Amino acid sequence: MSEKDGEPTDGAPADDELTAEQIDAETPGVDDAAELEAAEDQVADEAAADEDKVVATPPRRRRTGSRPANRAADADRPGEGTRTRAAAERARAAELREKRSIGRFLREVVAELRKVIWPGRKELITYTTVVIVFVAVMVALVAGLDILFAQGVLAVFG
């Protein structure tokens, strides 16, 4: 069996590749491998879109005698070189304003709340009871220690 780029040529899956059944078995909460793959594709698309936002600077060129040596002369020629620091800062500030918008924040909050698995009535009653009992035990413990230390202080210092 020969392999090319990690893929076997006889149609069998590669050693590091999982079948749909294996993915279904290993991912609780996901019923279908296709659903998981669609979500992974969406994350990959978002990552690719974020990579496009990176500003790349061109490689530095060696200055020759025919080219002006000062930056002021370079700035007079539009379309060449990199953008100015002020322009880069303005672009970054505009991007930050977009990221910090209230509308985007609220959309993300709603999206996160849709992911929450809310407890049912029975679970809610159980959790509430556990919390109340735990708090009551801690209050009794602290109150008992307070009374004990108060009695000790009164016994020692009269």
Side-chain angles (χ1 to χ4, degrees):
M1 167 175 38
S2 65
E3 292 186 12
K4 181 179 180 183
D5 298 328
E7 295 285 331
T9 56
D10 62 355
D15 292 339
D16 62 343
E17 217 175 282
L18 297 176
T19 64
E21 292 79 22
Q22 289 172 325
I23 292 173
D24 289 342
E26 291 182 9
T27 52
V30 178
D31 298 330
D32 187 16
E35 180 183 330
L36 179 64
E37 289 173 2
E40 288 173 348
D41 291 342
Q42 181 182 3
V43 169
D45 291 343
E46 290 172 3
D50 286 345
E51 286 178 5
D52 293 341
K53 294 179 183 177
V54 176
V55 178
T57 57
R60 292 186 175 253
R61 296 184 205 152
R62 224 186 310 155
R63 294 187 183 258
T64 62
S66 63
R67 197 162 172 212
N70 62 8
R71 290 187 179 258
D74 287 346
D76 293 337
R77 290 195 259 153
E80 286 190 24
T82 59
R83 61 184 179 181
T84 64
R85 180 178 294 229
E89 288 176 1
R90 280 194 299 272
R92 185 169 184 271
E95 186 177 318
L96 283 176
R97 275 194 300 275
E98 178 186 323
K99 284 184 180 178
R100 293 182 183 169
S101 71
I102 293 174
R104 180 177 177 169
F105 172 75
L106 293 176
R107 283 192 305 272
E108 289 178 2
V109 166
V110 169
E112 289 298 320
L113 287 175
R114 286 186 180 149
K115 296 177 187 177
V116 173
I117 300 173
W118 297 98
R121 181 177 181 85
K122 188 176 181 180
E123 292 171 327
L124 187 63
I125 292 171
T126 303
Y127 297 156
T128 304
T129 304
V130 168
V131 169
I132 290 172
V133 168
F134 178 77
V135 169
V137 168
M138 294 308 293
V139 166
L141 179 68
V142 170
L145 289 173
D146 183 46
I147 292 171
L148 183 70
F149 287 129
Q151 294 293 333
V153 167
L154 285 176
V156 171
F157 297 110

